[in-house]
Amino acid sequence: MSLEMVLVTPLFVAFLLFLAGAGRMVDAKGQVDGAARDAVRAASIARSAPAAQRLAADTAAAGLTGTGWCSGGPSVATDVSAWGQGGRVGVTITCDVDLGDLSFIGLPGTKRLQGHAIAPVDTFTYRGTDAGGAEGPGGEP
């Protein structure tokens, strides 16, 4: 019986560590997806494309603040190519999850995760400018 315990215990511990790594990945993916949803919502209510990019970056950074697993901080890419009334905005957040402490059981040192979200531009807050709507279509006053 003791021989069986000596042989099975390392396998059991390795299995538990693998589950811990898988749990970390699932939690990290959920947080990255949540940060992308929050960032795209913040960008969709901005008054201009540059403001949308700023709001998305700020919201994503705030949403992933305090996460020790995101090595190097999140990378935020905001797609404002379809910006305008009735358009859409997209946000992609990329984060490298640090798995270095679990690499001895066969997991990679880091794993890159991406969260992507798309939202329509809010038609009631869209003004086309940061100047409070002083310009008309085409930049005319």
Side-chain angles (χ1 to χ4, degrees), residues 10 12 20 24-26 28-29 35 49 53 75-77 82 91 96 107-108 115 117 133 138:
F12 184 67
R24 186 181 302 174
M25 293 295 295
V26 168
K29 180 65 173 160
Q53 292 172 326
S75 169
V76 181
V91 173
D96 292 330
L107 294 176

Side-chain angles (χ1 to χ4, degrees), residues 25-39:
M25 293 295 295
V26 168
D27 181 46
K29 180 65 173 160
Q31 288 185 25
V32 168
D33 286 343
R37 281 190 306 269
D38 293 344

